[in-house]
């Protein structure tokens, strides 16, 4: 199976700095650098579509815009891009969710993918009126997906469970195609739900050995259900023409986070109920040194925010090699992001995807020609030469002197009538000291 790539829509705001939000923490100042307007998010979506990403993940939570409404609006300004909509099944009835998905498919030409998020932290769940504990939430998700999948098959459903009950539920029109279900979770209860109901199991970006163990665990559970799942991974990415440029950019992202801020974020994340979050924290233990936990796998993002906390960092060729390493373990889908999301989409799409295409591992979903590797306008090349090579290696952590960062690319022109929405130079703002989750 060839590789599939998804990008990320930052519906909590975007910046050249790490943006927070989630796990009960505020978005912070950096999220206001580029507010999550439909116009700006559409620019990212069109860029992702043109570059060859199949879909775009949109998070869920009180700290970001509603994923259903926002992507429905953006879908009207894109043609092919699919939307991996994260939602929490405890907040609406399974019949309504099934109906919403069917409507979405009809109005977008079948461009909905669903990322089922069983829940956030209990404090946030209670704010929405959900008072179940973690294990009960997973049991409810199991019932919810049982009903939804039956409705999508065209069945009339009578169901009485511990948490949900429906009578004579039926859709007047089933979705075509039926949306694929994505799901992540590291607890035993999560594994059971994945094995029974989902098409793609997602993991956060752990080192390959740990990812291999998780794949084997879920694959065995699915085999007991006579099912075969696909596997995907959620990662940030920082890729440049030269490795030292990428590591310099990684270091820059941590600038402004002093030691006390890092400790405060880590204390907050240590209270999380999420098994996946616990595994992210264990990768670095709050230590700002030695953040490269596997070749080109950097845990620095998880030092200052929650959720997916690792990034692939390196030259285009190095990042392509790491992707292939994960692919050999059984990972076929990659859900990626980077700050800021518009520019980083171009760095990856123009630098890494052509290398994977040359190896026969990826092709553009539109079946059009793939751009040559790392081709860049002459003006950008001259700007790099004028600035000189990036100095030093940034594989340490916060608190060390940061080398000069590689220049951010100007966004390539987006082939739409909308004008460019991001100025060539965005004023720097202090990064938000928050512990955010991107809800997968």
């Amino acid at each position: 199976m060839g590789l599939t790539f998804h990008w990320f829509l930052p519906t909590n705001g975007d910046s050249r700095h790490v943006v927070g939000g989630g796990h009960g923490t505020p978005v912070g100042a950096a999220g206001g650098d580029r507010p999550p307007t439909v116009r700006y998010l559409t620019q990212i979506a069109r860029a992702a579509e043109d570059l060859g990403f199949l879909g775009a993940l949109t998070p869920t939570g009180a700290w970001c815009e509603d994923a259903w409404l926002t992507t429905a609006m953006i879908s009207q300004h894109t043609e092919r891009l699919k939307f991996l909509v994260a939602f929490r099944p405890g907040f609406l009835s399974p019949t309504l969710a099934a109906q919403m998905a069917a409507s979405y498919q009809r109005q977008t030409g079948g461009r909905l993918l669903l990322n089922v998020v069983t829940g956030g932290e209990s404090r946030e769940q209670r704010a929405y009126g959900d008072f179940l504990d973690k294990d009960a939430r997973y049991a409810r998700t199991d019932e919810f997906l049982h009903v939804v999948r039956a409705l999508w098959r065209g069945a009339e459903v009578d169901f009485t469970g511990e948490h949900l009950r429906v009578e004579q539920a039926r859709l007047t029109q089933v979705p075509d195609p039926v949306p694929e279900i994505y799901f992540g979770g590291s607890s035993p209860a999560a594994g059971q739900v994945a094995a029974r109901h989902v098409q793609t199991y997602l993991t956060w970006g752990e080192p390959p050995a740990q990812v291999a163990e998780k794949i084997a665990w879920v694959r065995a559970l699915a085999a007991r259900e006579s099912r075969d799942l696909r596997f995907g991974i959620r990662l940030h990415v920082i890729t440049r023409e030269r490795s030292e440029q990428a590591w310099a950019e990684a270091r820059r992202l941590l600038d402004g986070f002093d030691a006390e801020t890092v400790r405060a974020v880590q204390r907050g994340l240590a209270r999380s109920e999420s098994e996946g979050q616990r595994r992210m924290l264990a990768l670095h233990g709050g230590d700002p040194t030695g953040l490269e936990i596997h070749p080109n796998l950097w845990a620095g993002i998880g030092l200052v925010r929650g959720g997916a906390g690792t990034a692939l960092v390196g030259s285009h060729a190095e990042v392509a090699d790491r992707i292939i390493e994960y692919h050999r373990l059984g990972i076929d889908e990659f859900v990626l992001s980077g700050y800021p999301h518009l520019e980083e989409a171009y760095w990856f799409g123009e630098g890494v995807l052509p290398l994977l295409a040359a190896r026969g591992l990826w092709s553009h979903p539109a079946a059009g020609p793939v751009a040559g590797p790392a081709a860049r306008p002459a003006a950008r090349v001259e700007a790099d030469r004028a600035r000189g090579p990036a100095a030093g290696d940034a594989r340490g952590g916060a608190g060390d002197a940061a080398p000069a960062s590689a220049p951010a690319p100007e966004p390539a022109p987006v082939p739409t009538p909308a004008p460019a929405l991001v100025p060539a130079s965005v004023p720097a703002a202090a990064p938000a000291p928050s512990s955010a989750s991107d809800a997968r």
Side-chain angles (χ1 to χ4, degrees), residues 7-13 19-23 25 56-61 63-65 67 84-88 115 117 119-120 124 202-205 233-237 269 277 280 301 305-310 335-339 341 435-440:
W7 197 239
F8 184 85
L9 294 179
T11 55
N12 58 329
V19 178
H23 284 280
T25 61
L57 172 64
T58 311
T60 184
W63 47 275
C64 60
E65 299 290 343
L84 183 49
V85 174
F87 83 106
R88 298 179 185 177
N115 179 32
V117 180
E124 185 181 12
L202 294 176
T203 177
W204 282 339
I233 193 167
R234 173 77 179 92
L235 288 157
H236 302 275
V237 64
L269 293 176
Q277 185 63 71
M280 283 283 105
I301 298 292
R305 55 153 278 176
T310 53
V335 183
L336 305 176
S337 59
Y339 300 105
H341 289 77
S435 53
S437 166
D438 59 11
R440 300 301 170 206

Side-chain angles (χ1 to χ4, degrees), residues 68 82-87 94 96-116 144-145 148-154 171 173-183 197-200 227 230 333:
W68 288 96
K82 297 184 179 183
F83 295 93
L84 183 49
V85 174
F87 83 106
L96 177 58
Q99 181 185 14
M100 290 169 61
S103 296
Y104 200 113
Q105 292 295 64
R106 287 191 295 275
Q107 299 301 333
T108 65
R111 291 192 284 145
L112 175 66
L113 306 170
L114 285 177
N115 179 32
V116 175
F144 181 96
L145 291 175
V148 167
R149 294 176 65 216
L151 290 170
W152 284 346
R153 292 192 297 268
L171 296 181
Q173 298 183 67
V174 298
D176 184 19
V178 171
E180 295 186 5
I181 299 172
Y182 291 67
F183 180 90
H197 297 293
V198 312
Q199 282 75 49
T200 301
R227 302 186 70 241
R230 295 192 307 275
E333 303 203 22

Side-chain angles (χ1 to χ4, degrees), residues 377-429:
R380 291 195 207 166
V381 176
E382 290 304 318
D384 285 353
R385 288 175 180 166
R387 293 171 184 252
D393 190 313
R395 302 183 190 216
D400 297 331
S405 62
E410 295 179 9
V414 180
T416 71
L421 304 179
V422 179
S425 176
V426 175

Side-chain angles (χ1 to χ4, degrees), residues 11-12 26 44 46 60 64 77 92 109-110 117 126 178 249 255 266 271 282-283 287 294 302-303 321 352 405:
T11 55
N12 58 329
I44 297 173
R46 285 171 165 169
T60 184
C64 60
H77 303 284
L92 70 168
V117 180
R126 289 193 294 269
V178 171
E249 177 64 9
D255 286 350
Q266 293 301 299
R271 295 190 291 269
L283 297 178
D287 184 358
H294 182 79
L303 205 63
D321 286 343
V352 178
S405 62

Side-chain angles (χ1 to χ4, degrees), residues 312-332:
L312 295 178
V313 181
S315 68
H316 300 320
E318 289 171 337
V319 170
D321 286 343
R322 295 290 77 74
I323 286 172
I324 292 170
E325 182 177 6
Y326 280 112
H327 180 48
R328 287 171 177 162
L329 300 177
I331 297 291
D332 294 318

Side-chain angles (χ1 to χ4, degrees), residues 181-370:
I181 299 172
Y182 291 67
F183 180 90
S186 299
S187 66
Q192 294 293 340
V193 173
R196 293 189 186 108
H197 297 293
V198 312
Q199 282 75 49
T200 301
Y201 175 84
L202 294 176
T203 177
W204 282 339
E206 299 177 2
Q210 295 180 29
V211 170
E213 291 176 358
K214 190 176 286 188
I215 289 175
W217 167 59
V218 175
R219 185 170 279 157
L221 292 175
R224 296 174 193 169
E225 304 288 337
S226 300
R227 302 186 70 241
D228 186 20
L229 275 58
R230 295 192 307 275
F231 294 90
I233 193 167
R234 173 77 179 92
L235 288 157
H236 302 275
V237 64
I238 306 171
T239 179
R240 297 293 186 269
E241 292 173 6
R242 300 191 302 275
S243 182
E244 61 267 25
Q245 290 177 315
W247 285 107
E249 177 64 9
R251 176 67 58 79
R252 186 196 66 78
L253 286 176
L254 291 185
D255 286 350
F257 290 95
D258 58 34
E260 179 51 38
T261 296
V262 172
R263 285 193 292 268
V265 170
Q266 293 301 299
R267 285 194 298 269
L269 293 176
R271 295 190 291 269
S272 173
E273 302 167 8
S274 167
E275 174 64 15
Q277 185 63 71
R278 184 196 65 76
R279 292 169 70 102
M280 283 283 105
L281 293 180
L283 297 178
H284 53 70
D287 184 358
T289 62
L291 292 172
E292 189 180 18
I293 56 176
H294 182 79
N296 305 108
L297 183 63
W298 183 62
I301 298 292
L303 205 63
V304 295
R305 55 153 278 176
T310 53
L312 295 178
V313 181
S315 68
H316 300 320
E318 289 171 337
V319 170
D321 286 343
R322 295 290 77 74
I323 286 172
I324 292 170
E325 182 177 6
Y326 280 112
H327 180 48
R328 287 171 177 162
L329 300 177
I331 297 291
D332 294 318
E333 303 203 22
F334 292 78
V335 183
L336 305 176
S337 59
Y339 300 105
H341 289 77
L342 181 61
E343 286 88 335
E344 290 301 327
Y346 278 105
W347 275 117
F348 184 86
E350 294 176 341
V352 178
L353 289 182
L355 299 180
L356 297 170
R359 298 192 189 188
L361 295 172
W362 175 83
S363 60
H364 197 292
V370 177

